[in-house]
């Protein structure tokens, strides 16, 4: 049976491609030559044959091939670029430039031809010529709106931020609906200070030139938020809100973002701005809720609050709930208030009663009910009702199928097994949670799993780790002096034990919760100085930096601790936050 010419040609093409992929360019070129002679109009065959010649460094054949195609295709300027590329590869840069200029000079008012030529220059990394092609194309088409985005992208690749931003913003002026595309383009390079600074300066200029075009103000707000300059971002959104007589939605979103990033002063000011618009505005209640949350987070993250401060905050929560009632819309506020009573006013019974009551509200969705149970379970643990807590966590596990909350419930149950000294069962649960979808759960599960595994493997008895787990539970229950006594007892009964740095870290945690910061720093410095290879030394460094920054007000020392963490423990989960705090202390966002 005879094979048809078409099938034979397809087989040859497949063989040539196989040779090419196997880097046998000589055999590939031989076949591509035969095929191209039969089908000289095939761009596919031309490109593989041309590339084969270049890879073989057979520049004479490559030159003849391109010259032949230039004669046959007067309007296809990419062949002229190919000829220039041959000269580049063969070391004839002057002749290459001559061909690139020739192609550029031959350009006509044809958008397809303009884009094709620019792509050809981009393909061989002749970015300056690619930009020139688009710029000349704008002139030929007499359309200043055209190609700005493409030109900007080329200058961005060349790190010419001034020109790049200029063209991007000009594109945005004519295409405000493409603001998200521009944000996505610049997102991953904003860490480069020169680009971020240039973008900020040019945006301010555009806002002055085109005050009616809101897109530049929106872009500036986005940039300021990316740079964590929430104070400046607030000034911008407030100005927009006032100019357009809006309902505060922009300001509310900014306040929520600032609160999430722990910029509480700005968040509180922004929430208050929305509240001051009055109860008739639709974002009033949301702003009130956000204000309470920001006030709470600001208070507990500070290092010098008093019991009077906590009581005053609780009064603000009570006033809010009295105004809006206890219902499905205010459950999150009740949960926050219960946390204040459980952890900061040390009134566990009141906290439990709040959640028991809110759990009875009709029409609560499954997600909210699970949140209530998880928090209530935590309070039962703090109160010593471990089995009741485990029951609540298990209920969440059973009801919240295909929901991340199931992982949180499982981790809490695994932690209870650890507290009870049932290390084998705890490890079984933690092993599953190591691949949890939540990074927080996964990281915590891995850390606890490794902690149990390593210390059980090192000891002939589980008594030290059992005592340590009991001390952790005591700390969780606010029985801090008993916890410290238990930790010190481990050091006494088992001197120089492998748990020593963990014990120092845990005592530091307790001292921080008691606001005994000098003692906390002593424990942390002990870990850093004596256990440089300790797996949690990164946590000690971060806490040292945090306490030095926020309590000791020692900026230089804080910078020193953060820098050591960033440089020597770059894989640490604390590095992102440490870098943010380091840059803030250094004044990068001023």
């Amino acid at each position: 049976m005879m094979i048809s010419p078409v099938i034979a040609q397809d087989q040859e093409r497949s063989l040539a491609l196989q040779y090419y992929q196997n880097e046998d360019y000589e055999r590939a070129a031989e076949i591509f030559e035969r095929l191209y002679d039969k089908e000289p109009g095939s761009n596919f065959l031309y490109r593989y044959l041309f590339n084969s010649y270049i890879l073989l460094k057979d520049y004479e054949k490559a030159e003849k091939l391109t010259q032949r195609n230039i004669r046959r295709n007067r309007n296809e300027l990419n062949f002229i670029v190919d000829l220039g590329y041959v000269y580049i590869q063969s070391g004839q840069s002057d002749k290459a430039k001559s061909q690139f200029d020739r192609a550029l000079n031959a350009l006509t008012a044809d958008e397809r031809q303009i884009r094709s030529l620019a792509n050809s220059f981009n393909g061989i990394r002749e970015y300056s010529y690619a930009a020139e092609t688009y710029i000349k194309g704008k002139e030929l088409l007499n359309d200043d709106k055209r190609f700005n985005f493409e030109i900007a992208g080329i200058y961005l690749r060349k790190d010419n931020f001034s020109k790049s931003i200029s063209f991007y913003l000009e594109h945005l002026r004519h295409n405000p609906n493409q603001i998200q595309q521009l944000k996505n383009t610049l997102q991953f390079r904003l860490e480069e200070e020169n680009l971020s600074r240039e973008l900020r300066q040019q945006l301010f200029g555009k806002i002055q030139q085109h005050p009616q075009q809101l897109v530049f103000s929106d872009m500036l707000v986005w940039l300021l938020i990316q740079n964590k300059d929430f104070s400046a971002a607030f000034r911008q959104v407030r100005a927009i809100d006032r100019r357009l007589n809006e309902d505060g939605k922009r300001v509310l979103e900014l306040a929520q973002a600032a609160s999430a990033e722990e910029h509480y002063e700005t968040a509180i000011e922004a929430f208050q701005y929305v509240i001051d618009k009055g109860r008739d505005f639709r974002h009033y209640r949301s702003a009130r809720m956000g204000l309470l949350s920001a006030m709470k987070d600001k208070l507990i993250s500070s290092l010098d609050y008093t019991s009077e401060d906590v009581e005053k905050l609780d009064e603000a929560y009570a006033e809010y709930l009295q105004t809006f009632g206890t219902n499905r819309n205010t459950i999150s506020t009740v949960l926050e208030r219960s946390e204040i009573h459980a952890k900061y006013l040390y009134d566990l019974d009141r906290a439990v009663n709040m959640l028991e009551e809110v759990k009875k509200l009709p029409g609560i969705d499954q997600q909210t009910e699970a949140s209530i149970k998880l928090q209530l379970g935590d309070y039962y643990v703090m109160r010593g009702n471990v089995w009741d807590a485990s029951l609540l966590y298990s209920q969440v596990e059973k009801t919240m199928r295909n929901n991340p909350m199931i992982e949180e419930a499982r981790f809490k149950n695994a932690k209870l097994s650890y507290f009870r000294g049932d290390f084998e069962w705890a490890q079984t649960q933690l092993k599953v949670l190591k691949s949890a979808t939540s990074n927080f759960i996964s990281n915590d599960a891995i850390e606890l799993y490794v902690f149990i595994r390593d210390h059980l493997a090192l000891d002939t008895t589980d008594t030290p780790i059992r005592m340590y787990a009991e001390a952790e539970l005591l700390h969780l229950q606010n029985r801090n002096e008993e916890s410290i006594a238990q930790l010190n007892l481990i050091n006494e009964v088992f001197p120089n034990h492998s748990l020593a740095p963990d014990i120092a870290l845990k005592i530091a945690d307790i001292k921080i919760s008691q606001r005994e910061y000098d003692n906390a720093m002593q424990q942390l410095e002990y870990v850093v100085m004596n256990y440089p290879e300790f797996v949690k030394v990164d946590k000690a460094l971060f806490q040292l930096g945090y306490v030095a920054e926020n309590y000791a007000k020692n900026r230089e020392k804080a910078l020193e601790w953060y820098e050591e963490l960033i440089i020597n423990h770059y894989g640490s989960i604390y590095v992102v936050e440490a870098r943010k705090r380091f840059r803030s202390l250094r004044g990068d966002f001023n």
Side-chain angles (χ1 to χ4, degrees):
M1 181 178 177
M2 290 184 62
I3 299 176
S4 73
V6 174
I7 295 175
Q9 192 165 331
D10 286 345
Q11 289 176 341
E12 275 199 291
R13 180 180 298 201
S14 297
L15 182 60
L17 285 172
Q18 186 175 340
Y19 282 137
Y20 187 90
Q21 290 164 359
N22 292 336
E23 300 182 12
D24 189 347
Y25 303 118
E26 191 167 349
R27 290 186 181 180
E30 289 177 3
I31 300 175
F32 281 129
E33 283 172 353
R34 291 198 301 272
L35 293 172
Y36 190 63
D37 285 340
K38 297 174 184 176
E39 197 179 343
S42 171
N43 284 327
F44 173 85
L45 294 172
Y46 163 80
R47 186 55 53 193
Y48 272 102
L49 181 55
F50 177 79
N51 289 343
S52 297
Y53 287 152
I54 293 295
L55 291 165
L56 289 168
K57 299 184 179 180
D58 193 340
Y59 303 125
E60 184 178 348
K61 284 188 176 181
E63 181 179 356
K64 288 180 180 178
L65 177 66
T66 53
Q67 290 281 20
R68 184 170 65 170
N69 275 276
I70 291 169
R71 289 192 296 271
R72 288 177 175 174
N73 304 277
R74 299 285 182 184
N75 295 323
E76 296 296 330
L77 304 182
N78 56 300
F79 294 123
I80 301 176
V81 176
D82 286 346
L83 181 57
Y85 185 65
V86 174
Y87 293 142
I88 286 284
Q89 293 299 303
S90 59
Q92 303 176 77
S93 56
D94 289 341
K95 293 180 74 173
K97 183 179 183 302
S98 176
Q99 293 304 316
F100 295 153
D101 290 339
R102 173 188 174 189
L104 192 60
N105 291 332
L107 198 63
T108 64
D110 178 345
E111 182 171 350
R112 187 203 64 81
Q113 186 189 61
I114 294 165
R115 291 189 181 278
S116 177
L117 181 59
N119 288 337
S120 293
F121 280 128
N122 275 324
I124 60 172
R125 298 185 180 182
E126 288 291 337
Y127 299 126
S128 295
Y129 274 102
E132 286 185 56
T133 300
Y134 281 126
I135 291 170
K136 184 174 181 181
K138 287 161 67 74
E139 297 171 358
L140 291 169
L141 295 171
N142 193 27
D143 187 352
D144 198 48
K145 300 176 185 177
R146 201 75 66 91
F147 307 131
N148 287 317
F149 200 86
E150 292 84 350
I151 297 168
I154 292 169
Y155 283 126
L156 185 63
R157 282 195 292 269
K158 289 167 62 68
D159 291 339
N160 188 333
F161 300 138
S162 177
K163 286 188 175 181
S164 177
I165 297 303
S166 177
F167 278 102
Y168 273 133
L169 296 187
E170 188 62 18
H171 174 79
L172 193 61
R173 185 165 75 90
H174 299 296
N175 303 275
N177 61 320
Q178 294 185 21
I179 185 172
Q180 189 58 51
Q181 183 183 4
L182 180 54
K183 290 177 182 178
N184 294 342
T185 300
L186 297 177
Q187 178 77 56
F188 300 105
R189 298 201 63 176
L190 287 180
E191 284 290 321
E192 300 173 57
E193 293 176 24
N194 290 340
L195 183 144
S196 186
R197 189 183 304 113
E198 185 67 38
L199 179 57
R200 182 169 177 160
Q201 289 174 353
Q202 290 201 32
L203 280 169
F204 275 118
K206 286 290 186 183
I207 291 169
Q208 291 177 346
Q209 291 172 19
H210 308 283
Q212 301 307 314
Q213 287 201 265
L214 201 59
V215 67
F216 295 122
S217 294
D218 284 343
M219 190 73 191
L220 178 59
V221 170
W222 171 80
L223 173 65
L224 294 171
I225 290 174
Q226 300 305 303
N227 287 339
K228 315 301 180 190
D229 191 348
F230 288 97
S231 179
F234 171 55
R235 290 194 295 271
Q236 287 294 319
V237 295
R238 182 177 57 189
I240 295 170
D241 184 86
R242 287 172 174 170
R243 185 180 357 138
L244 300 181
N245 195 25
E246 292 185 332
D247 61 2
K249 183 174 184 292
R250 293 174 192 270
V251 183
L252 178 66
E253 290 173 349
L254 184 278
Q256 291 166 340
S259 187
E261 290 290 338
E262 301 178 14
H263 289 251
Y264 300 121
E265 292 288 351
T266 300
I268 289 169
E269 189 178 359
F271 281 127
Q272 191 61 55
Y273 172 86
V274 180
I275 292 167
D276 290 343
K277 282 180 168 286
R279 295 192 61 168
D280 293 337
F281 283 81
R282 62 178 178 142
H283 302 298
Y284 176 81
R285 189 172 65 82
S286 295
R288 287 281 304 270
M289 287 176 62
L291 178 63
L292 286 174
S293 295
M295 289 169 60
K296 175 179 75 72
D297 291 339
K298 179 190 174 187
L299 182 71
I300 63 180
S301 65
S302 67
L303 305 178
D304 55 358
Y305 64 83
T306 64
S307 57
E308 289 76 15
D309 293 329
V310 181
E311 288 169 0
K312 186 177 179 180
L313 176 64
D314 181 57
E315 288 172 8
Y317 272 88
E319 193 273 331
Y320 174 87
L321 291 169
Q322 186 175 1
T323 302
F324 295 100
T326 300
N327 49 59
R328 285 180 297 172
N329 295 323
T330 59
I331 287 176
S332 61
T333 305
V334 176
L335 290 174
E336 289 181 8
R337 191 183 181 204
S338 73
E339 183 184 1
I340 292 170
H341 279 270
K343 297 181 179 179
Y344 305 102
L345 291 175
Y346 307 110
D347 189 348
L348 269 173
D349 290 340
R350 182 76 184 281
V352 169
N353 289 338
M354 283 182 189
L355 296 193
E356 291 285 10
E357 287 301 314
V358 82
K359 196 170 66 159
K360 298 174 184 175
L361 288 173
I364 297 177
D365 62 85
Q366 195 176 54
Q367 180 102 358
T368 303
E369 185 179 9
S371 296
I372 295 170
K373 286 182 176 180
L374 288 177
Q375 196 160 322
L376 189 56
D378 293 345
Y379 299 161
Y380 282 154
V381 174
M382 294 172 69
R383 202 160 66 172
N385 302 342
V386 174
W387 290 108
D388 291 335
S390 182
L391 179 62
L392 285 172
Y393 297 151
S394 298
Q395 287 175 1
V396 174
E397 281 191 62
K398 291 176 182 177
T399 57
M400 299 302 291
R401 297 295 180 188
N402 301 318
N403 186 297
M405 295 182 80
I406 192 174
E407 295 175 344
E408 184 179 357
R410 282 176 178 167
F411 181 73
K412 289 177 182 291
N413 254 331
K415 201 79 182 284
L416 285 182
S417 298
Y418 162 73
F419 287 145
R420 294 196 299 265
D422 190 352
F423 301 123
E424 185 177 347
W425 179 238
Q427 283 186 292
T428 299
Q429 294 173 291
L430 293 167
K431 193 171 184 178
V432 175
L433 289 167
K434 288 196 293 183
S435 57
T437 54
S438 164
N439 286 334
F440 294 109
I441 298 294
S442 175
N443 290 334
D444 287 347
I446 291 170
E447 182 179 323
L448 184 55
Y449 178 86
V450 171
F451 176 79
I452 296 171
R453 182 198 65 191
D454 289 352
H455 288 295
L456 285 179
L458 289 170
D459 281 336
T460 55
T461 173
D462 67 358
T463 301
I465 189 174
R466 188 179 293 274
M467 293 173 67
Y468 184 89
E470 290 170 0
E472 281 203 279
L473 179 58
L474 289 168
H475 173 45
L476 187 63
Q477 295 171 338
N478 289 318
R479 297 160 64 183
N480 291 322
E481 296 308 322
E482 294 175 68
S483 179
I484 291 175
Q486 176 89 325
L487 292 167
N488 286 330
L489 183 60
I490 301 172
N491 281 331
E492 291 173 15
V493 178
F494 303 95
N496 302 316
H497 194 272
S498 60
L499 279 168
D502 290 288
I503 290 170
L505 261 188
K506 181 51 63 178
I507 292 175
D509 285 341
I510 296 170
K511 293 299 181 183
I512 288 172
S513 71
Q514 294 176 316
R515 285 178 283 171
E516 296 179 18
Y517 302 113
D518 289 335
N519 289 338
M521 291 187 76
Q522 289 175 10
Q523 296 290 333
L524 294 169
E525 287 178 352
Y526 168 78
V527 172
V528 171
M529 300 304 175
N530 294 283
Y531 299 93
E533 303 301 320
F534 177 46
V535 69
K536 298 179 190 173
V537 72
D538 58 334
K539 178 183 177 182
L541 285 166
F542 180 79
Q543 287 185 308
L544 277 168
Y546 186 84
V547 174
E549 174 189 358
N550 295 285
Y551 166 67
K553 305 300 181 185
N554 189 332
R555 174 178 170 276
E556 295 303 319
K557 201 64 181 175
L559 282 168
E560 181 182 321
W561 293 124
Y562 287 142
E563 186 173 28
E564 184 175 343
L565 171 59
I566 293 165
I567 293 173
N568 297 328
H569 303 275
Y570 50 84
S572 167
I573 60 173
Y574 298 100
V575 162
V576 172
E577 181 65 18
R579 185 179 288 112
K580 182 178 76 173
R581 292 182 176 278
F582 179 85
R583 293 180 65 193
S584 178
L585 284 171
R586 198 173 58 180
D588 291 5
F589 305 136
N590 294 336

